[in-house]
C-alpha cells in the first residue's frame, strides 16, 4: 500500500462498518484519522442492546453473508481471530404459522459474542471520539472545520468522510447543495425492533424466519447464535418496512404490544409471560433505494461519503464501500 506523502488529517463522521473500514485503511496508509460518533459505542446498526448481565440482543443487523472475494479474505482473518463465527441456524420462512426451511448453502456469519464485535475489531487502535454529535461542517481555505453541540470546536481537517445515513449526511452538507443532492437520492426504510426474553425455552423447531402476511418481517432466536448465552431464551422481532413507516411516530409501548401479538400469531403458540421486553426504532434501517455506486467523492471539496446505502443493504456492502472510498482518497491525496 502506498503511504501518503504528506500526513493529512481526515475526519470520519460515523463509526459504522463503512466508516471504520475506511478509517482503518487510511490510517494504515499514513493519514491522521479521527472518528466521531454520537453514540456510546461503535457499530451503528451493527449493535447490541444489553440488559443486566445475562440478556443481550443483536437488535439491528442480524447476520451477514459473503459474495466478494476480498471480503471473503477479510472474513477468514476474522474467523481466525474469533471475531466472527458461522451461525448454523435453522432458517426458513413463516406463512400463517407454517414454517418452511430455506434450501440454501449460503453461509451466515455473526459477530462473537455480539454483532458489534466486528466493529470493535475494526476500531481497535483508532482515534475515536464517541458521544459527540457533529452539528456543523464548514469549508475554508484551511480545510474542513467541525463543530459540535454548543459550537464546540472539534478541529480542522484536510478531508471529510461521512458514514452517517444519507439524510443525516445530506443535512450536514446542506451548504454544498450539488453534492448533498447526490446523497439525497438514496432512500431509507425504517424498522421497529422488539426484544423479548423468556425464562423457559419456546418450543419451536427453528431459529430464524422471514415472515409473510404479517406486520413482522423477521423473527430470530438470538440465543441460538454462537457465543451467546442459551438462557434466558432471547428473541428479536423486526417490523416490516411498510408497517414500521406507518407507525414510525407511534408510542413505543403500543408498537411493542402490537408486534408481540403478531409474534405469537406468527409462530403459532399460545402467548406466555416474558421476562423482559424492549423496543427500539431504527429510523434509517435499510437503504430501500441505494445509489448503485460504492461511494461519492468530490476531490475539489475533499469530501466523501460511504455506507451500505451507496450499494445495498448488506454488511458486506458497507465494508466494500468504505474500502473503495479509502482507496480513492489515498489516490487523490
Amino acid at each position: 500500500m502506498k503511504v501518503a506523502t504528506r500526513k493529512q488529517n481526515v475526519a470520519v463522521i460515523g463509526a459504522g462498518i463503512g466508516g471504520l473500514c475506511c478509517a482503518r485503511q487510511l490510517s494504515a496508509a499514513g493519514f491522521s484519522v479521527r472518528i466521531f460518533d454520537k453514540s456510546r459505542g461503535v457499530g451503528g446498526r451493527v449493535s447490541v442492546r444489553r440488559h443486566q448481565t445475562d440478556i443481550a440482543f443483536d437488535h439491528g443487523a442480524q447476520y451477514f453473508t459473503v459474495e466478494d472475494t476480498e471480503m471473503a479474505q477479510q472474513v477468514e482473518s476474522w474467523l481466525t481471530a474469533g471475531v466472527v463465527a458461522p451461525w448454523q441456524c435453522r432458517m426458513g420462512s413463516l406463512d400463517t404459522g407454517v414454517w418452511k426451511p430455506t434450501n440454501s448453502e449460503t453461509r451466515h456469519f455473526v459477530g462473537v459474542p455480539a454483532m458489534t464485535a466486528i466493529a470493535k475489531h475494526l476500531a481497535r487502535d483508532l482515534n475515536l471520539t464517541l458521544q459527540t454529535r457533529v452539528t456543523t461542517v464548514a469549508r475554508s481555505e484551511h480545510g474542513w472545520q467541525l463543530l459540535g453541540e454548543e459550537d464546540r470546536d472539534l478541529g480542522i481537517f484536510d478531508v471529510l468522510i461521512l458514514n452517517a445515513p444519507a439524510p443525516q449526511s445530506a443535512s450536514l452538507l446542506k451548504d454544498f447543495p450539488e453534492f448533498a443532492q447526490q446523497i439525497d437520492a438514496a432512500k431509507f426504510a425504517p424498522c421497529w425492533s422488539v426484544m423479548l426474553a423468556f425464562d423457559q425455552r419456546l418450543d419451536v423447531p427453528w431459529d430464524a424466519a422471514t415472515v409473510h402476511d404479517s406486520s413482522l418481517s423477521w423473527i430470530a432466536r438470538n440465543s441460538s447464535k454462537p457465543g451467546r448465552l442459551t438462557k434466558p431464551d432471547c428473541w428479536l422481532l423486526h417490523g416490516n418496512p411498510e408497517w414500521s413507516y406507518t407507525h414510525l411516530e407511534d408510542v413505543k409501548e403500543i408498537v411493542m404490544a402490537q408486534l408481540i401479538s403478531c409474534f405469537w400469531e406468527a409462530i403459532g403458540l399460545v402467548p406466555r409471560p416474558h421476562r423482559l421486553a424492549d423496543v427500539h426504532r431504527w429510523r434509517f434501517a435499510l437503504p430501500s433505494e441505494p445509489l448503485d455506486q460504492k461511494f461519492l467523492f468530490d476531490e475539489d471539496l475533499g469530501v466523501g461519503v460511504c455506507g451500505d446505502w451507496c450499494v445495498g443493504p448488506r454488511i458486506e456492502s458497507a465494508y466494500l464501500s468504505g474500502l473503495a472510498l479509502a482507496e480513492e482518497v489515498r489516490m487523490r491525496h
Side-chain angles (χ1 to χ4, degrees):
M1 178 180 288
K2 178 183 176 181
V3 176
T5 55
R6 182 171 70 85
K7 192 169 185 179
Q8 293 197 312
N9 295 318
V10 179
V12 177
I13 300 176
I17 295 296
L20 291 172
C21 173
C22 186
R24 186 150 208 88
Q25 292 295 313
L26 290 176
S27 181
F31 291 81
S32 176
V33 184
R34 185 177 176 190
I35 307 168
F36 298 91
D37 199 285
K38 63 183 180 181
S39 302
R40 290 179 295 175
V42 297
R45 282 166 284 158
V46 183
S47 57
V48 62
R49 176 70 63 87
R50 300 189 185 279
H51 295 271
Q52 305 160 22
T53 58
D54 61 342
I55 302 178
F57 303 88
D58 299 320
H59 64 306
Q62 293 295 288
Y63 62 86
F64 69 94
T65 57
V66 179
E67 296 177 359
D68 181 84
T69 302
E70 194 164 11
M71 182 68 175
Q73 293 175 347
Q74 177 63 70
V75 172
E76 285 301 318
S77 73
W78 290 346
L79 286 166
T80 301
V83 175
V84 304
W87 183 19
Q88 308 288 0
C89 62
R90 296 161 295 177
M91 189 176 293
S93 62
L94 275 171
D95 198 336
T96 59
V98 178
W99 185 80
K100 295 180 180 179
T102 299
N103 296 317
S104 171
E105 296 182 0
T106 300
R107 298 179 76 192
H108 301 85
F109 299 95
V110 297
V112 178
M115 287 298 290
T116 192
I118 305 166
K120 289 181 177 179
H121 185 71
L122 286 171
R124 68 194 189 283
D125 303 324
L126 294 179
N127 185 1
L128 293 166
T129 302
L130 300 175
Q131 294 182 279
T132 301
R133 184 189 298 272
V134 178
T135 58
T136 304
V137 297
R139 186 86 172 112
S140 72
E141 59 179 334
H142 303 294
W144 286 97
Q145 171 75 60
L146 272 59
L147 298 177
E149 293 172 323
E150 299 179 352
D151 291 333
R152 176 188 168 194
D153 184 359
L154 299 175
I156 297 177
F157 301 86
D158 299 304
V159 179
L160 174 63
I161 302 296
L162 292 98
N163 180 230
Q168 296 173 342
S169 296
S171 178
L172 269 177
L173 294 170
K174 61 183 182 297
D175 291 336
F176 308 90
E178 189 172 327
F179 193 70
Q181 285 171 10
Q182 296 180 64
I183 300 171
D184 253 342
K187 306 301 178 186
F188 279 78
C191 178
W192 277 104
S193 178
V194 172
M195 295 148 270
L196 294 173
F198 301 91
D199 286 322
Q200 300 299 319
R201 181 180 173 88
L202 298 186
D203 187 18
V204 295
W206 46 268
D207 301 309
T210 55
V211 191
H212 304 292
D213 297 323
S214 171
S215 299
L216 293 167
S217 62
W218 170 261
I219 295 172
R221 194 193 304 265
N222 198 90
S223 43
S224 72
K225 296 178 179 180
R228 279 71 170 172
L229 295 174
T230 57
K231 293 181 181 181
D233 198 21
C234 293
W235 287 80
L236 193 284
L237 330 175
H238 277 165
N240 72 44
E242 295 80 11
W243 190 91
S244 295
Y245 179 79
T246 301
H247 299 273
L248 189 61
E249 305 300 338
D250 286 6
V251 176
K252 287 186 174 183
E253 289 73 16
I254 295 175
V255 167
M256 185 164 62
Q258 291 177 331
L259 291 181
I260 290 174
S261 176
C262 292
F263 168 67
W264 293 116
E265 182 180 353
I267 67 175
L269 292 181
V270 176
R272 67 176 67 175
H274 47 257
R275 171 175 163 183
L276 178 143
D278 196 6
V279 64
H280 179 82
R281 177 180 60 189
W282 295 101
R283 188 176 291 276
F284 306 113
L286 293 171
S288 54
E289 296 180 31
L291 297 182
D292 290 330
Q293 51 187 311
K294 287 187 176 180
F295 61 88
L296 294 175
F297 185 70
D298 187 308
E299 184 178 3
D300 293 333
L301 290 175
V303 61
V305 293
C306 64
D308 60 357
W309 52 269
C310 292
V311 187
R314 303 176 64 233
I315 289 176
E316 181 182 59
S317 299
Y319 183 88
L320 294 175
S321 174
L323 199 67
L325 178 55
E327 178 62 15
E328 182 74 8
V329 172
R330 186 183 69 82
M331 294 294 290
R332 302 287 183 181
H333 290 263

